[in-house]
Amino acid sequence: MRKIDVVVLIEKTCQMYVLDIARVEQAGLSGIFTMFKEVADLHEIAKNIVGDTFRFRLGNEMVDTFTEQVEGILNSKEAENNFKSFAIGLNPGMAEEIGMELRLSVAAQLAKLNLDMVLKMIKVGETGVDMRDLFDDDYIYICIRQLCGFYMQDKYVEFLGDPDMTQTEFFQELVECSEVRVRG
């Protein structure tokens, strides 16, 4: 998987969460975006992967255009392809393959963000407000599955359900699954 593909995958995941949260906010639950800061963290993970690719000096000021460049990639394959081409044109390193260990590390970061969101929804649920249907799907799991390239739902569910399992331990579990897969 190329670096640009990882960025697009994470950013599209972020944008799907944004759409779900915006729907709830439009229904009258103002402030929900601040409750789920993890969605902004998803965007930051993608932004960190691209590094300085979209940063430009404009006079004495540094301008970062990443956010503007990724607009529309969720709704238009053409916009996604244009973004990928533009990014690779600016930084040919964006077309380089990302190793499995880095992809698994990102997957563990994403799982931790999802765990934080799930814990918030459980806490709100304890007050009598059911938030199970807040998001249309488990977008982070889908993203992680694509990043890993192998079945890991059991490990993912274990991580979400085991309060003692750390992000590092989850990462190690993913590495072991990956190694077993490679060995056959």
Side-chain angles (χ1 to χ4, degrees):
M1 183 175 277
R2 301 175 310 169
K3 186 183 275 192
I4 191 63
D5 298 320
V6 171
V7 169
V8 167
L9 180 61
I10 294 168
E11 188 57 35
K12 286 174 84 171
T13 300
C14 174
Q15 290 181 19
M16 287 185 279
Y17 278 110
V18 167
L19 287 175
D20 285 354
I21 292 172
R23 183 188 70 222
V24 172
E25 187 172 63
Q26 289 171 352
L29 189 57
S30 61
I32 191 152
F33 274 105
T34 57
M35 181 179 178
F36 290 104
K37 72 167 190 60
E38 294 81 8
V39 174
D41 294 343
L42 280 170
H43 179 73
E44 288 302 314
I45 289 171
K47 193 173 174 180
N48 286 337
I49 293 171
V50 300
D52 291 337
T53 300
F54 295 98
R55 291 188 184 133
F56 305 95
R57 181 163 298 286
L58 189 60
N60 292 332
E61 193 175 331
M62 284 301 287
V63 179
D64 189 335
T65 64
F66 176 71
T67 301
E68 292 80 15
Q69 298 298 330
V70 294
E71 286 179 13
I73 66 169
L74 181 60
N75 301 321
S76 166
K77 191 66 174 169
E78 181 181 356
E80 178 182 332
N81 290 335
N82 289 342
F83 170 74
K84 287 178 177 181
S85 295
F86 183 60
I88 292 168
L90 290 173
N91 177 358
M94 295 301 295
E96 293 175 3
E97 293 290 317
I98 289 187
M100 181 57 85
E101 190 163 326
L102 181 56
R103 291 183 359 224
L104 297 178
S105 174
V106 170
Q109 289 177 45
L110 297 177
K112 175 65 171 104
L113 290 178
N114 197 40
L115 176 61
D116 293 345
M117 290 194 308
V118 167
L119 292 174
K120 285 178 186 177
M121 291 189 299
I122 290 171
K123 187 172 180 107
V124 170
E126 289 171 353
T127 67
V129 178
D130 187 352
M131 297 189 81
R132 287 179 293 181
D133 295 328
L134 176 63
F135 302 116
D136 282 344
D137 210 336
D138 188 349
Y139 305 123
I140 287 182
Y141 170 73
I142 295 165
C143 180
I144 291 171
R145 171 75 172 85
Q146 290 176 3
L147 278 172
C148 293
F150 56 85
Y151 178 83
M152 40 62 71
Q153 185 173 10
D154 294 342
K155 298 296 179 189
Y156 177 74
V157 170
E158 180 183 347
F159 174 69
L160 293 180
D162 183 352
D164 296 326
M165 183 182 275
T166 66
Q167 179 179 332
T168 303
E169 290 169 330
F170 178 64
F171 169 72
Q172 291 299 327
E173 294 278 341
L174 291 178
V175 169
E176 288 174 21
C177 287
S178 175
E179 290 171 353
V180 165
R181 185 176 164 263
V182 168
R183 282 181 272 170

